[in-house]
């Protein structure tokens, strides 16, 4: 079964600083990879996805992520943090168990943005 | 936003009582999922459905059952609720299993 590791359960940055949220997965075959964001008392929203093709993926709200197969990583970045980016972020990877893929989620990283 | 409605949004009940949570979609998507979210655990899959009357277990299925009698509705039942099932429950849908899932707003369930 897949496992997803998000390094750092809590990341704090200043407004305007670089955001880097780390995600590593275990897989011997290229998976499908996703980042989701969750604002307080809401469900998860898709930020971006990697399926095939270009390894640098751009998402909503200025976020992007790069799939690095050799490092089994899919880190999320944003050049300049905004107060509205404060939320919890989840990395997820597909688990190709048979004909139905299932998502395995990391435990999440809470991003705090300081003024 | 994907048309997903979870009901109820909040529920408080007692240990040993049966509880049913409902997920209703208007997107006609084939796949539907139930997750629970607990601090420090992220989201964990309980059960999922890949069509009407077609369901399968997820990572944390013990103590839960599901039913899907029509495309738009996916029910999660706790036959005899326990305090360890206190959690926030999310429903998700997807058109294909390798496509992004879209989430409902969640049901906060407290079992006393």
């Amino acid at each position: 079964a897949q496992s997803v590791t998000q390094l750092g359960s809590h990341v704090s940055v200043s407004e305007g600083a670089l955001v880097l949220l780390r995600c590593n997965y275990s897989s011997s075959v290229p998976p499908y990879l996703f980042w989701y964001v969750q604002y307080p008392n809401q469900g998860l929203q898709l930020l971006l996805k990697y399926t095939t093709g270009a390894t640098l993926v751009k998402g909503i709200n200025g976020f992007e992520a790069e799939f690095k197969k050799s490092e089994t990583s899919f880190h999320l970045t944003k050049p300049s943090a905004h107060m509205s980016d404060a939320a919890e972020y989840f990395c997820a990877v597909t688990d190709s168990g048979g004909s139905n893929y299932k998502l395995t989620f990391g435990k999440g990283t809470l991003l705090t943005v300081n003024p | 936003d994907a048309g997903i409605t979870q009901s109820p949004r909040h529920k408080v009940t007692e240990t040993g009582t049966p509880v049913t949570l409902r997920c209703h979609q208007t997107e006609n998507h084939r796949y539907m999922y139930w997750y629970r979210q607990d601090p420090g655990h992220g989201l964990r899959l309980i059960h999922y459905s890949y069509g009407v009357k077609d369901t399968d277990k997820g990572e944390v299925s013990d103590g839960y059952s599901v039913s899907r009698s029509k495309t738009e509705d996916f029910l999660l039942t706790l036959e005899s609720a326990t305090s360890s099932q206190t959690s926030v429950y999310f429903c998700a849908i997807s058109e294909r299993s390798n496509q992004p899932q879209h989430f409902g707003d969640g049901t906060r369930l407290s079992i006393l």
Side-chain angles (χ1 to χ4, degrees):
Chain A
Q2 284 279 8
S3 66
V4 179
T5 302
Q6 290 185 237
L7 193 61
S9 59
H10 189 187
V11 170
S12 182
V13 300
S14 298
E15 191 172 19
L18 171 72
V19 175
L20 171 61
L21 304 181
R22 300 178 188 272
C23 174
N24 288 89
Y25 63 91
S26 65
S27 176
S28 59
V29 295
Y32 295 164
L33 297 154
F34 307 87
W35 274 100
Y36 286 86
V37 60
Q38 184 180 32
Y39 299 101
N41 299 314
Q42 294 186 23
L44 278 69
Q45 300 175 29
L46 180 69
L47 268 181
L48 50 78
K49 64 179 180 180
Y50 170 80
T51 53
T52 58
T55 57
L56 183 61
V57 179
K58 295 187 185 300
I60 61 172
N61 301 337
F63 284 93
E64 61 183 35
E66 186 172 11
F67 169 58
K68 292 187 176 181
K69 183 180 176 181
S70 61
E71 299 177 7
T72 59
S73 69
F74 190 56
H75 301 331
L76 182 70
T77 60
K78 182 174 180 178
S80 176
H82 191 273
M83 296 296 289
S84 61
D85 294 326
E88 191 158 22
Y89 292 79
F90 293 93
C91 180
V93 60
T94 53
D95 186 342
S96 59
S99 57
N100 294 314
Y101 291 87
K102 298 188 290 289
L103 277 184
T104 297
F105 285 86
K107 295 182 178 180
T109 297
L110 183 64
L111 176 66
T112 301
V113 182
N114 304 307
Chain B
D1 288 347
I4 308 168
T5 304
Q6 290 187 233
S7 59
R9 292 295 315 280
H10 302 271
K11 186 172 182 67
V12 180
T13 191
E14 294 183 347
T15 299
T17 60
V19 177
T20 296
L21 308 183
R22 180 185 185 230
C23 178
H24 178 78
Q25 61 145 328
T26 58
E27 306 297 320
N28 200 37
H29 283 351
R30 178 183 174 189
Y31 289 85
M32 299 186 75
Y33 308 83
W34 277 108
Y35 293 90
R36 61 179 289 174
Q37 184 178 27
D38 304 289
H41 289 276
L43 275 80
R44 293 180 291 175
L45 182 65
I46 305 171
H47 283 280
Y48 70 100
S49 170
Y50 49 97
V52 174
K53 291 187 169 53
D54 292 323
T55 64
D56 203 354
K57 296 179 180 180
E59 177 188 358
V60 289
S61 59
D62 287 348
Y64 301 94
S65 63
V66 291
S67 66
R68 190 168 178 202
S69 59
K70 44 187 179 177
T71 300
E72 57 265 37
D73 287 327
F74 192 33
L75 303 181
L76 177 71
T77 297
L78 292 64
E79 300 290 349
S80 177
T82 67
S83 58
S84 65
Q85 294 175 310
T86 291
S87 187
V88 181
Y89 291 85
F90 286 98
C91 173
I93 65 174
S94 67
E95 201 164 0
R96 297 185 182 88
S97 64
N98 61 353
Q99 293 297 306
Q101 295 178 16
H102 302 282
F103 286 79
D105 288 332
T107 293
R108 187 172 296 275
L109 177 63
S110 296
I111 301 165
L112 307 176

